[in-house]
Amino acid sequence: GESVGLHLPTLSVQEGDNSIINCAYSNSASDYFIWYKQESGKGPQFIIDIRSNMDKRQGQRVTVLLNKTVKHLSLQIAATQPGDSAVYFCAENSRGGGNKLTFGTGTQLKVEL
Amino acid sequence: DAGVTQSPTHLIKTRGQHVTLRCSPISGHKSVSWYQQVLGQGPQFIFQYYEKEERGRGNFPDRFSARQFPNYSSELNVNALLLGDSALYLCASSHSGTGLGEQYFGPGTRLTVT
């Protein structure tokens, strides 16, 4: 079935390094993608989104890249900080799907001091 | 401005009981969606409501139902609780009902079924 998944379940990085979290999706009708950050005991927090007519979008310390050819999405976090430690989810929405988001299983990002 | 609020924060129920979870969206948002998040997994879509009408339903049994009120707040009801219903129930609000707008999540309600 259609799914959104992540390549790496756990990513450990040193403070100050850049982090890259990857996500693969299988629904070719997907046209809107979102990255969420979820800290323990909290709801998912919106980080950044990108529409299918774009390849790259930048925010504050974060960049999302979309490769529609291989159905791949990535989140880059610059100068990773301890406060970035959390589980990161990519989510996908397809045209005509209303507000239904399909989430992957998540990547645990651990920032080491 | 207040974000999405949910109540209660935690809830413990027994198998077979009924539960009602509540959500208040961000002011001005007309769409509310409900998700179930089992420990260690990503959220799974249950329902979407927009302007008090159901706009989407996920693959959940009929024991799950929801509604949206004129003030756009929403309730999620689960009947005949099973142990497998233990999860974090998340509510997300959005101004748009078409999936092209940002969705903001509340802190969730942690439901434990014993």
Side-chain angles (χ1 to χ4, degrees):
Chain A
E2 297 167 348
S3 66
V4 176
L6 298 176
H7 295 303
L8 300 174
T10 302
L11 176 65
S12 295
V13 299
Q14 294 291 321
E15 181 181 6
D17 287 351
N18 296 333
S19 303
I20 300 176
I21 302 173
N22 296 302
C23 176
Y25 65 95
S26 58
N27 184 359
S28 57
S30 300
D31 60 357
Y32 180 54
F33 303 88
I34 313 100
W35 281 100
Y36 285 94
K37 170 187 179 184
Q38 188 173 26
E39 297 173 284
S40 181
K42 297 183 179 180
Q45 175 188 355
F46 177 94
I47 301 174
I48 191 168
D49 60 358
I50 188 168
R51 303 195 191 285
S52 59
N53 61 353
M54 302 173 67
D55 297 323
K56 178 180 180 179
R57 192 169 188 216
Q58 289 183 295
Q60 186 177 11
R61 281 202 306 120
V62 295
T63 301
V64 56
L65 300 177
L66 175 63
N67 185 331
K68 295 179 289 293
T69 302
V70 295
K71 298 189 181 70
H72 184 268
L73 191 70
S74 68
L75 176 70
Q76 301 178 2
I77 303 174
T80 311
Q81 302 170 359
D84 294 328
S85 294
V87 177
Y88 289 80
F89 293 97
C90 64
E92 160 267 330
N93 186 304
S94 59
R95 189 174 295 112
N99 283 3
K100 175 184 177 182
L101 294 176
T102 301
F103 284 81
T105 54
T107 293
Q108 174 76 56
L109 176 64
K110 295 183 178 180
V111 181
E112 299 171 349
L113 302 178
Chain B
D1 286 342
V4 178
T5 59
Q6 293 186 243
S7 63
T9 304
H10 297 87
L11 201 54
I12 299 175
K13 290 286 189 177
T14 304
R15 277 179 299 175
Q17 286 187 318
H18 162 91
V19 68
T20 298
L21 310 180
R22 295 177 175 83
C23 170
S24 292
I26 292 171
S27 178
H29 285 192
K30 299 180 179 180
S31 177
V32 169
S33 298
W34 287 95
Y35 291 81
Q36 180 195 66
Q37 186 176 24
V38 175
L39 191 63
Q41 298 183 15
Q44 296 290 315
F45 174 79
I46 309 175
F47 286 111
Q48 182 204 347
Y49 277 78
Y50 180 73
E51 290 278 19
K52 302 182 290 295
E53 293 186 358
E54 183 181 302
R55 288 294 187 92
R57 173 184 287 255
N59 188 25
F60 280 81
D62 292 342
R63 299 184 295 108
F64 289 77
S65 64
R67 57 179 175 169
Q68 187 176 33
F69 299 98
N71 66 352
Y72 302 113
S73 67
S74 178
E75 285 183 352
L76 175 69
N77 296 284
V78 187
N79 293 323
L81 285 167
L82 303 174
L83 294 179
D85 295 331
S86 295
L88 180 68
Y89 288 85
L90 296 162
C91 172
S93 82
S94 174
H95 185 269
S96 167
T98 61
L100 298 180
E102 297 176 11
Q103 293 189 50
Y104 298 91
F105 283 83
T109 293
R110 172 70 64 187
L111 172 65
T112 301
V113 182
T114 63

